[in-house]
Amino acid sequence: MGKVSVLRNCAQSVFYFLIRLLLPLVPFLARFPLAWRVRDAFLSGPDGAAWLRQYGPDWDAPEDVPPEPLTVLLDGRACSSDDRDRCLRDLESQTVPPRAVITVGHGEDSGGPDSALFPPGALPETGHVLVLAAGCRPHSRMLERVGQALREAPGTDLLYVDEWRLKGERVTSVYCKPSWDPLYFAATRYTGDAFAVAAALFCGVMRDGEADGIPFRDPVHLFALCQARSQGEITHLPVPLFGVSAKHGERPIPAQPVRPTTEPPLAEPPVSIIIPFRNRPDLLRPCLDSLRSVTGYSAWECILVDNGSTDSTVKKLCRSLALEDRRFTILEHNEPFNFSRLVNRGAAKATGDILVLLNSDVEAREPSWLQALVRFAAEEEVGCVGAKLLYPNGLVQHGGIVGGLKSPLNGELCFGHAHLGLPGNAPGYFRQLAVSRTVLAVTGAALAVRKTVFDRLGGFDESLAVAFNDVDFCLRAAALGLRTVWTPEASLLHHESATRGLDLACPEKSSRLAKELALLLERWGDAILDDPWYNPNFSAEQIYALAELPRARGPRSLPAKAGPLDAAGQRVRPPTEPVCHPA
C-alpha cells in the first residue's frame, strides 16, 4: 500500500472518530454544504484509471472455471468504421477467442437488421451470445470472464457487467452498477452497451421482432426486449469489462419498448396514515396541517397514537381535530416508548388497504406525495415503499438505506442513508437520487406497505423498541420475495430526531442502540453486509466511492421479477411463518 493510501486511511479514521463525537450535531451541520465538500475532499476514493489497473495482466480471475465459448454480435450501426475496426482488433486480442463474430451494420448509414443479416446457422441454438456495441472498448479478458461467470451461474438468461467512461483515451469514471433492478432499468437503461444473452432467448426475440416489424435499435433496446421475455435469472458481474465514451454513455434514454414496471391503480385504495407522537405541538401541528392542506389524495384516514402526551396544547389540538375532521382518530397509549408497539397499535385500528407510517416531525411538500407511495405499494411484487426526505435546509436526509457501510456507532460494517447531505435537486450517483429504484430498506419515518403484507409479517418487531425496526421490517418483506422501493416522487420535509433527540446523545440511549444493532446484525448480518444494490466495488467508508479493493467479484443473480440475494449470492426463500409476532 502506497503513501497516498496510508494517508487516506488515516484521514478516514480521524474523520469517522470525529463523526462519532459530532453525530448529534448532524442536522445543524447539514445546513452548511461546505462541510460535505470538506468531507469529500478527505474521503475521495482512488483515481478511476489507477483503480482499473488491478484488472491488468495479473488480475486474479478464477482460473479453475473453464469459460463458456461465446458468439459475439457486434452492432456497428451507430459507430464509425474506425470504431468498428478497433473493436474487432480488441476482440482478436482476447485471452479466450470468440466462437464466432457476427457484425451488424457497417457505419452510420447502414439500415436496421433483418433476417438477411444473419446467415443460416450463424447464430448458435445453445449457449450465450455476447452483444456488443462497436463503440465499446472491451477488456482483453472480457470473453474469458463473462464465459466463466456464465459457468458459475448456470441459470442465467441475461448477464451484464460494470463499465468505465472515457473522454478520448482518458478514463473519467467507473460505473459500478447494482444487481438487477427493473425500476432503475426502466428509468436509466443502466445495463449498458454490452451483455450476454441465452442463445435460445435471443433467437426467439429476433424472430418475433422480425415478424412484428420491431428490430432492435441498439444493445440497450435489445436487452429490454429480452428481459421482457426472460423466464430465467438476470446476472450482474460486478467487474468493469468495457469502456465507452462519456458522451455516448449519457445518450438520451430510448422510448420504453416494454410495459412500465409500475402502473397507477385504477382507483384510489383507502389509506391509513399512522402517526405516533408525544407532545411537541410545534412539530405535530405543521405535520397535520400539511396533511389537510397539501395532500391531493382523497381516500385517507389518519390514526394519531398518543404516547402519553402531557402538553395541554397538544391535548387541545387533538380534541379539536377529532371534532372538526372525521378522518382523524386519536388513540391513547400511555406506556414506555416503543415505536414498534405504537405502530402495531395504530395498524390494528386501521381500515385502509395501504398503511403509511409517518413521523410527527414530517411535513408534506407536494400534493402528489401520497399518490406516489400508494402507486408503488399497490404493486404485488413490492413490499415497502419509502420517500425522499429532506432536511429543512433542503439537503437530503434519506435517499434509501444502503448495506455494507461502516457504522459511526462502532465502526463495524452495517448500513447508512444513501446520498446523505447532498442538495435536494442533485441527481446522485448515476441518477440514483432522481429515479425510483430498489433498495435494501427504507426508513420508517415515511413508509408505505399493504395492510395484507403488514399482517402477514406480524407487524413491527417489538423487541426492536426504538431503532432498526424499519430495516428489520423491510428485510422480512424481502424474505417473502417482495422488493423495497425508494421513490423521489414522494418528497417530504423531515426534522430528523427532533421529537426524541439523537440516540447517541446520552449513554443510556447509546447503550440501547448498540443492543438493538447487535440484535439486527445477528438476525440479518449477511443480508445487510452484502446489499445486492450496493456494488461490492464501492467503499464501506464513503458511499459510492471506489474501494481500494472490491469485496467480491463473483456473479450475482436475481430472477427477472424481484427477489433478494443472501451473502452467498443465492435467492432468499420466504419463511413458512413470520419471523416474529408482536406481543
Side-chain angles (χ1 to χ4, degrees):
M1 184 179 292
K3 289 184 177 180
V4 174
S5 297
V6 172
L7 291 174
R8 182 184 296 116
N9 289 340
C10 291
Q12 290 173 352
S13 299
V14 171
F15 179 82
Y16 278 98
F17 174 76
L18 293 175
I19 280 291
R20 292 176 64 182
L21 294 177
L22 301 177
L23 196 61
L25 301 178
V26 164
F28 174 75
L29 293 176
R31 298 176 182 273
F32 303 98
L34 179 61
W36 299 100
R37 295 179 185 176
V38 172
R39 176 205 66 173
D40 292 339
F42 270 101
L43 298 180
S44 57
D47 173 70
W51 187 84
L52 283 172
R53 294 191 190 109
Q54 67 179 302
Y55 295 104
D58 298 327
W59 173 25
D60 58 344
E63 298 179 356
D64 57 341
V65 180
E68 175 188 315
L70 298 170
T71 297
V72 177
L73 176 67
L74 188 64
D75 184 3
R77 291 169 297 160
C79 304
S80 67
S81 297
D82 290 342
D83 287 337
R84 183 200 60 187
D85 293 342
R86 181 179 60 184
C87 193
L88 286 170
R89 290 193 298 270
D90 290 339
L91 291 173
E92 291 174 356
S93 62
Q94 290 285 307
T95 55
V96 172
R99 177 191 291 177
V101 178
I102 303 170
T103 302
V104 175
H106 299 283
E108 297 176 355
D109 298 329
S110 62
D114 54 34
S115 59
L117 294 176
F118 301 103
L123 293 175
E125 297 180 358
T126 60
H128 290 77
V129 176
L130 179 66
V131 181
L132 186 67
C136 296
R137 298 297 305 273
H139 190 284
S140 62
R141 298 180 72 172
M142 182 175 191
L143 295 183
E144 174 190 356
R145 191 63 191 95
V146 169
Q148 289 174 324
L150 291 171
R151 296 283 195 197
E152 295 177 70
T156 297
D157 265 358
L158 291 155
L159 181 145
Y160 62 96
V161 300
D162 293 347
E163 63 188 78
W164 63 88
R165 297 290 171 84
L166 294 163
K167 186 174 183 179
E169 296 297 319
R170 183 173 62 87
V171 176
T172 59
S173 61
V174 181
Y175 185 10
C176 299
K177 305 171 185 178
S179 292
W180 171 240
D181 180 0
L183 278 176
Y184 188 46
F185 177 78
T188 64
R189 298 295 197 258
Y190 70 96
T191 51
D193 284 325
F195 69 94
V197 54
L201 176 60
F202 175 83
C203 292
V205 168
M206 295 303 298
R207 282 194 304 267
D208 290 349
E210 179 185 352
D212 297 336
I214 310 176
F216 75 89
R217 294 188 293 267
D218 54 40
V220 179
H221 179 221
L222 179 58
F223 188 100
L225 294 173
C226 293
Q227 180 271 324
R229 292 174 55 117
S230 173
Q231 298 298 318
E233 293 187 329
I234 299 180
T235 296
H236 169 224
L237 179 62
V239 177
L241 287 175
F242 71 97
V244 64
S245 70
K247 182 178 180 180
H248 181 69
E250 297 170 359
R251 67 192 185 285
I253 298 170
Q256 295 185 13
V258 294
R259 179 182 72 87
T261 303
T262 302
E263 295 179 344
L266 297 177
E268 289 187 347
V271 174
S272 296
I273 302 172
I274 301 170
I275 303 179
F277 73 97
R278 175 183 167 86
N279 294 325
R280 294 302 300 266
D282 56 318
L283 295 173
L284 183 61
R285 188 186 298 276
C287 173
L288 301 180
D289 287 345
S290 70
L291 282 183
R292 304 174 74 186
S293 62
V294 177
T295 303
Y297 199 90
S298 59
W300 61 268
E301 66 174 359
C302 181
I303 300 171
L304 293 164
V305 187
D306 185 354
N307 188 209
S309 292
T310 57
D311 190 298
S312 59
T313 304
V314 167
K315 294 289 188 181
K316 182 178 179 181
L317 172 64
C318 291
R319 285 195 300 268
S320 62
L321 193 63
L323 293 174
E324 294 174 8
D325 196 329
R326 291 185 176 182
R327 293 176 297 181
F328 288 87
T329 300
I330 314 298
L331 294 181
E332 298 287 344
H333 187 82
N334 297 318
E335 297 181 10
F337 179 78
N338 183 315
F339 181 80
S340 296
R341 187 168 298 157
L342 293 170
V343 168
N344 292 337
R345 176 81 188 278
K349 186 73 173 178
T351 62
D353 296 337
I354 308 289
L355 304 181
V356 174
L357 314 184
L358 202 66
N359 276 13
S360 60
D361 57 358
V362 170
E363 297 176 36
R365 304 170 63 244
E366 301 167 351
S368 61
W369 73 274
L370 191 51
Q371 286 98 324
L373 291 178
V374 171
R375 181 162 61 91
F376 285 105
E379 283 286 307
E380 290 185 2
E381 293 182 1
V382 174
C384 304
V385 186
K388 179 180 183 179
L389 301 181
L390 303 177
Y391 288 113
N393 64 350
L395 300 184
V396 175
Q397 185 267 324
H398 176 254
I401 291 176
V402 172
L405 300 178
K406 282 190 176 180
S407 167
L409 178 65
N410 54 19
E412 297 180 357
L413 287 179
C414 190
F415 54 85
H417 285 199
H419 301 104
L420 178 69
L422 285 184
N425 59 355
Y429 182 83
F430 283 90
R431 297 190 65 208
Q432 289 194 9
L433 195 55
V435 300
S436 302
R437 57 193 177 87
T438 303
V439 294
L440 181 75
V442 293
T443 177
L447 185 153
V449 61
R450 294 191 302 282
K451 181 69 157 57
T452 54
V453 173
F454 187 91
D455 292 341
R456 184 181 178 188
L457 293 173
F460 270 39
D461 182 2
E462 296 182 10
S463 63
L464 295 169
V466 180
F468 313 124
N469 36 53
D470 44 10
V471 176
D472 172 77
F473 186 79
C474 291
L475 291 174
R476 285 191 283 132
L480 295 177
L482 301 173
R483 287 187 291 118
T484 296
V485 172
W486 174 88
T487 178
E489 298 173 27
S491 181
L492 300 161
L493 191 68
H494 187 202
H495 303 266
E496 185 189 23
S497 301
T499 53
R500 296 186 54 258
L502 286 163
D503 289 323
L504 296 184
C506 70
E508 182 181 353
K509 289 183 178 181
S510 180
S511 175
R512 188 261 312 145
L513 182 68
K515 291 179 181 178
E516 293 182 336
L517 178 59
L519 175 60
L520 185 79
L521 291 177
E522 180 182 359
R523 180 180 297 170
W524 297 107
D526 290 343
I528 292 173
L529 301 186
D530 188 30
D531 181 348
W533 296 281
Y534 188 62
N535 193 295
N537 289 312
F538 286 138
S539 168
E541 286 81 14
Q542 183 191 8
I543 191 167
Y544 299 128
L546 293 173
E548 292 291 342
L549 292 173
R551 290 168 285 164
R553 295 194 179 108
R556 310 168 78 166
S557 299
L558 286 174
K561 294 185 178 181
L565 297 177
D566 61 17
Q570 302 297 317
R571 199 182 337 165
V572 174
R573 303 295 179 182
T576 54
E577 296 180 355
V579 173
C580 57
H581 299 272

